[in-house]
Amino acid sequence: MGKGRVEAFTDGVVAIIITIMVLELKVPHGEDLSALLPLWPVFFSYVLSFINVGIYWNNLHNMFHTVQRVDGRVLWANLNLLFWLSLMPVTTAFMGENHFAPVPVAVYGVDLALCAVAYNILVIKLRHLHGAETTFARAVGQDRKGKISLALYLAGIALTFVSQWIGVAIYVLVATIWFVPDKRFERLIEK
């Protein structure tokens, strides 16, 4: 199967996820800057989730740019990732509305971890379909960044119950690691 439809569907789902998240932001009541202060947890949660969803969209774009085709296993693996990403508006609101209480921060971390697992499954399915010597497989390599991210998410979930701010800091750290542009795909595509 060609990859065009899965790319278009993925783009549409990601756009809807971001739209739902932004609709959770409420207009402050008041006309001065102090009216914004109570909204900082919700806004910070939104920014963090927007960055995370954007990182996944960017990585999916790069991945699908280097592959030639998809099959049923890839389609299901992509749907699995989109499912966990589609929960991001809920876990984002849960964390922000509850001012970073430990359980909502841990639930947010579980969603991030499950997105990472689903992403790894998609990588495995694409590598299986295209082979180890393709541009895609060479670009992904050992995916140390992905494995480290998953380990950090799991640590963040556990450490949230020591202090929710440790969990939040770890989630921000992972987003920061991925926010730095990943040149693995670009380098191989340019060759």
Side-chain angles (χ1 to χ4, degrees), residues 36-90:
L36 295 174
L37 193 56
L39 300 178
W40 82 264
V42 173
F43 183 71
F44 178 80
S45 298
Y46 168 75
V47 170
L48 181 59
S49 292
F50 184 92
I51 290 169
N52 275 303
V53 172
I55 288 165
Y56 277 104
W57 178 81
N58 195 346
N59 286 326
L60 289 168
H61 171 77
N62 286 333
M63 284 185 356
F64 283 117
H65 188 69
T66 61
V67 300
Q68 303 305 312
R69 64 191 184 285
V70 296
D71 65 4
R73 290 177 296 209
V74 170
L75 293 176
W76 281 109
N78 190 60
L79 280 172
N80 181 39
L81 173 57
L82 292 176
F83 172 78
W84 296 112
L85 283 173
S86 74
L87 293 179
M88 194 67 61
V90 176

Side-chain angles (χ1 to χ4, degrees), residues 115-155:
C115 286
V117 168
Y119 178 82
N120 286 327
I121 292 169
L122 178 58
V123 166
I124 290 166
K125 297 302 178 189
L126 283 167
R127 189 178 306 197
H128 181 262
L129 179 63
H130 289 85
E133 298 305 317
T134 60
T135 301
F136 168 77
R138 288 192 320 270
V140 170
Q142 296 299 314
D143 196 24
R144 281 181 251 126
K145 201 173 179 180
K147 292 172 184 163
I148 290 168
S149 298
L150 179 56
L152 285 170
Y153 287 143
L154 296 174

Side-chain angles (χ1 to χ4, degrees), residues 24-40 43:
E24 287 292 321
L25 297 177
K26 305 296 182 226
V27 176
H29 298 288
E31 56 190 47
D32 56 6
L33 290 176
S34 65
L36 295 174
L37 193 56
L39 300 178
W40 82 264
F43 183 71

Side-chain angles (χ1 to χ4, degrees), residues 13-14 16-24 45-46 49 53 82-97 108 111:
V13 171
V14 168
I16 291 168
I17 290 167
I18 290 173
T19 301
I20 291 169
M21 284 190 320
V22 78
L23 290 175
E24 287 292 321
S45 298
Y46 168 75
S49 292
V53 172
L82 292 176
F83 172 78
W84 296 112
L85 283 173
S86 74
L87 293 179
M88 194 67 61
V90 176
T91 59
T92 299
F94 187 45
M95 182 171 70
E97 293 288 333
Y108 184 78
D111 189 23

